[in-house]
Amino acid sequence: MRTRRCLFLRLTLSRMAQSVKNTGKRLSLEPRKLYVQNDSLYVADGEQRVKFTERSLMAISGLMTFENENYFITQAGRKYPIEGR
């Protein structure tokens, strides 16, 4: 599986976060597509995975929590677990 880095993150008007890859393609941050592997956050994009940069992680840090050895992201007032691999 190829890895591409996410350059930055924007929040849309609907308050659902979107990441923007270095190719300019926008990816919605669907919690079911997020996962943590080797202390890095990724979002699945078909057969590829997109690794978040430090800058993009800082941008969404207010949406993320770590409890009982598990990561969570909060979107639209709902808290979702992030899968670990």
Side-chain angles (χ1 to χ4, degrees):
M1 184 181 287
R2 280 182 36 193
T3 301
R4 294 185 185 253
R5 293 186 181 273
C6 175
L7 294 181
F8 55 93
L9 180 111
R10 293 182 180 161
L11 296 178
T12 64
L13 294 176
S14 66
R15 300 188 59 85
M16 290 297 288
Q18 288 188 338
S19 62
V20 181
K21 291 174 28 176
N22 55 356
T23 61
K25 179 180 177 183
R26 293 176 187 269
L27 299 172
S28 63
L29 292 183
E30 298 174 39
R32 64 182 173 82
K33 292 186 176 183
L34 295 173
Y35 63 94
V36 175
Q37 185 175 26
N38 298 326
D39 294 327
S40 295
L41 180 66
Y42 297 89
V43 61
D45 180 27
E47 293 295 316
Q48 296 183 342
R49 63 184 182 168
V50 179
K51 182 178 180 181
F52 285 75
T53 62
E54 273 188 51
R55 183 176 174 184
S56 60
L57 287 171
M58 291 299 291
I60 65 168
S61 63
L63 301 175
M64 296 185 67
T65 56
F66 183 75
E67 301 170 11
N68 300 320
E69 304 293 318
N70 297 301
Y71 289 95
F72 297 87
I73 188 165
T74 302
Q75 288 188 346
R78 292 187 61 195
K79 187 170 153 181
Y80 301 92
I82 298 175
E83 178 184 340
R85 294 188 183 174

